[in-house]
Amino acid sequence: MDELHYAGLVEIGDLIAARKVSSVEVTRHQLARCDALGHLNAFITLTADLALAQAETADREIAVSKRRSVLHGVPIALKDLYDLGGTPTTAGMPHRRDAIASSNATVTQRLIDAGAVILGKTCLTEGAYAEHRAPYGTPVNPWNADRWCGASSSGSAVGVAAGMFFAGLATETGGSIRIPSAMNGVTGFKPTWGRVSRAGIYELAGSLDHAGPIARSAADAAAVLGIIAGRDPADPTSSRQPVADYLAEAGKSLHGVRIGIDMAFSEGGTDPEHVAAMLAAADLLRERGAELIDISMPDSSQIIWDWFDVCAAQNALVNGPIIDAAPDALGSSLTELVARGRALKGADYQMVINRRDAFRGDLEALFADIDLVLSPAMAFTPPTHAMMENFTDDLISGIHRFTCPFTMSGHPVLSMPGGIHSDGMPINLQLIGPMFGEAILARAGMAFQSATQWHRRHPQLFS
């Protein structure tokens, strides 16, 4: 059992299904690891009793050949934005410490119906925005405690990287699946907006919020996404597009897959080692059969900053009433965001929306001639905490340049490990797909990871 915690989700699911190890054994092992690594602060709430009860049920069902899915009996965790009936949904907000959910979010229920074991609710920034707040604290990057762990879905990424659970459910509004994934050297899958129901998930900005998985590999993330995706009557913005069998893309050839690269987009202001990792990935994908094509990405320089206005205006509807009722209820970051949203003039907001729509259309038009875009996931390795306390425009741009444009456009993106920097920290790269192109993203991601070992690297402290 010593290395069980670093097994893949699909792998551990198959072992449980073959009864080579029981779900109860795995769950006890993971709970012990969560306890031993409590100093990483990945969790707000552990649901040990629930997890063990679900594991016992899974073992009984599997014993009589009633396997529900590849997730049956596998321990995972939920970002504490997802409702789990009978437990608090804090959203990282101090005033919601006792906000007990009366029912499950749609995604939560789909995971439970698939037989997943819910270990608990993971730590995040307040309201899924920028600031970790007491009493919850800040998760610790397991690669280096002096480095930033990422914002919003921080606990989910830290827990996956440290072997505490096999997948963490996350959300992304400006980059909060991909940024923590990159900071912690794991795989994050942001689906197309509307691909996954947002019902029962605390909102940051409705037209930007995406729900998706963080896991150790593209296959594991694809397995989770295949279960949680699909139309939900409780979320009228959820898509009716059919959900593919993403895991079935494993082993498929990349012959005929056209991958676009814009070197100007990728290189400008990006650490050279990140660019080198992307180019190495491009060479490998070409060896696997893909065709590489030079492209020109639509200009996204203003989109990065427009994102703040869209997020602010929409969040003012969510958290404005909280401030009206109790002016000191929220931290400075969320309070400033609401103020920005309330100060924004309607005509100015419409100009932002017009630019967003134009960028989305121009980006989607690229996919008439290509199937995917390859780029770095971040411009640099995780900043130090001191750097994050002295935020500059260059730092904001470096964090959001490769993320915000694609939350604004709603396109699906797969972020995955592609190297180790000379400073010892992980390097991630990303593939961007056309609307509802999750299947081809999964195929390319699994092809890349079948030929590399970057996603199997773990923090030295916990190896």
Side-chain angles (χ1 to χ4, degrees):
M1 301 283 283
D2 288 347
E3 292 299 316
L4 182 87
H5 42 270
Y6 279 138
L9 178 148
V10 173
E11 177 187 1
I12 203 69
D14 287 345
L15 289 173
I16 291 170
R19 301 179 68 189
K20 294 182 178 179
V21 65
S22 72
S23 177
V24 168
E25 288 175 316
V26 175
T27 300
R28 290 189 189 280
H29 179 80
Q30 296 306 128
L31 287 169
R33 188 164 178 83
C34 292
D35 184 62
L37 300 180
H39 60 282
L40 295 183
N41 201 40
F43 282 95
I44 287 178
T45 303
L46 268 172
T47 54
D49 291 344
L50 171 65
L52 287 169
Q54 290 173 330
E56 290 172 358
T57 298
D59 285 335
R60 286 196 300 269
E61 292 178 344
I62 289 168
V64 293
S65 301
K66 291 184 178 179
R67 191 188 191 195
R68 301 189 194 185
S69 76
V70 69
L71 264 68
H72 203 173
V74 178
I76 64 171
L78 306 172
K79 181 177 181 178
D80 201 7
L81 291 180
Y82 290 78
D83 282 348
L84 174 64
T87 64
T89 302
T90 71
M93 306 169 91
H95 76 279
R96 290 183 58 88
R97 291 183 72 176
D98 300 316
I100 307 298
S102 59
S103 59
N104 293 328
T106 297
V107 167
T108 305
Q109 190 60 53
R110 287 178 177 173
L111 291 166
I112 291 172
D113 290 345
V117 171
I118 312 297
L119 290 185
K121 311 286 287 297
T122 59
C123 196
L124 70 157
T125 47
E126 184 182 36
Y129 189 52
E131 184 180 3
H132 289 100
R133 295 277 317 274
Y136 313 117
T138 303
V140 177
N141 190 318
W143 292 82
N144 186 329
D146 293 329
R147 300 296 191 97
W148 188 48
C149 64
S152 191
S153 305
S154 45
S156 291
V158 165
V160 170
M164 299 168 80
F165 37 84
F166 299 96
L169 269 292
T171 62
E172 174 166 322
T173 304
S176 296
I177 291 174
R178 289 170 290 149
I179 293 171
S181 294
M183 297 300 96
N184 295 278
V186 290
T187 301
F189 206 155
K190 182 194 85 68
T192 307
W193 188 83
R195 176 74 291 179
V196 178
S197 171
R198 294 177 294 112
I201 302 174
Y202 193 89
E203 186 173 309
L204 174 55
S207 77
L208 298 172
D209 290 349
H210 300 66
I214 293 174
R216 296 199 187 97
S217 70
D220 292 349
V224 177
L225 183 59
I227 285 168
I228 64 175
R231 174 67 179 171
D232 174 22
D235 176 5
T237 68
S238 62
S239 174
R240 295 183 180 276
Q241 289 278 347
V243 179
D245 180 353
Y246 304 130
L247 271 182
E249 298 296 313
K252 287 188 177 180
S253 170
L254 294 186
H255 287 284
V257 175
R258 302 159 301 171
I259 299 178
I261 299 177
D262 181 341
M263 290 305 298
F265 174 72
S266 297
E267 283 186 305
T270 304
D271 177 279
E273 291 186 47
H274 285 243
V275 177
M278 181 200 73
L279 292 175
D283 287 341
L284 189 148
L285 291 166
R286 178 167 47 203
E287 290 171 7
R288 305 290 287 184
E291 177 187 0
L292 302 183
I293 299 174
D294 291 331
I295 62 168
S296 293
M297 289 283 287
D299 182 16
S300 60
S301 57
Q302 183 58 42
I303 292 293
I304 299 169
W305 306 104
D306 284 345
W307 175 87
F308 286 99
D309 284 334
V310 176
C311 187
Q314 295 183 9
N315 188 257
L317 299 176
V318 178
N319 288 321
I322 295 171
I323 292 175
D324 292 341
D328 297 327
L330 304 181
S332 59
S333 293
L334 265 184
T335 299
E336 291 168 8
L337 187 71
V338 169
R340 177 175 181 149
R342 286 179 160 178
L344 190 64
K345 294 180 180 179
D348 292 336
Y349 180 75
Q350 188 56 50
M351 288 177 64
V352 169
I353 294 301
N354 289 348
R355 285 194 292 268
R356 172 186 175 175
D357 289 345
F359 175 77
R360 178 190 290 129
D362 289 342
L363 179 60
E364 187 63 11
L366 273 182
F367 291 107
D369 300 313
I370 58 172
D371 301 294
L372 298 169
V373 174
L374 174 66
S375 84
M378 289 286 293
F380 37 67
T381 53
T384 64
H385 294 301
M387 292 171 65
M388 294 303 296
E389 290 172 2
N390 297 283
F391 234 44
T392 64
D393 282 357
D394 285 345
L395 189 62
I396 294 171
S397 176
I399 290 170
H400 289 292
R401 209 173 86 230
F402 298 116
T403 57
C404 279
F406 310 112
T407 51
M408 285 282 275
S409 72
H411 284 77
V413 189
L414 179 69
S415 171
M416 55 188 176
I420 297 291
H421 196 272
S422 58
D423 67 4
M425 301 302 289
I427 294 173
N428 268 34
L429 52 91
Q430 66 180 15
L431 289 164
I432 303 115
M435 290 293 193
F436 300 100
E438 287 82 6
I440 195 166
L441 281 170
R443 182 198 306 182
M446 288 187 281
F448 177 77
Q449 291 184 337
S450 71
T452 61
Q453 295 294 312
W454 300 117
H455 63 293
R456 299 186 185 277
R457 299 287 186 96
H458 307 302
Q460 286 295 316
L461 182 60
F462 308 116
S463 62

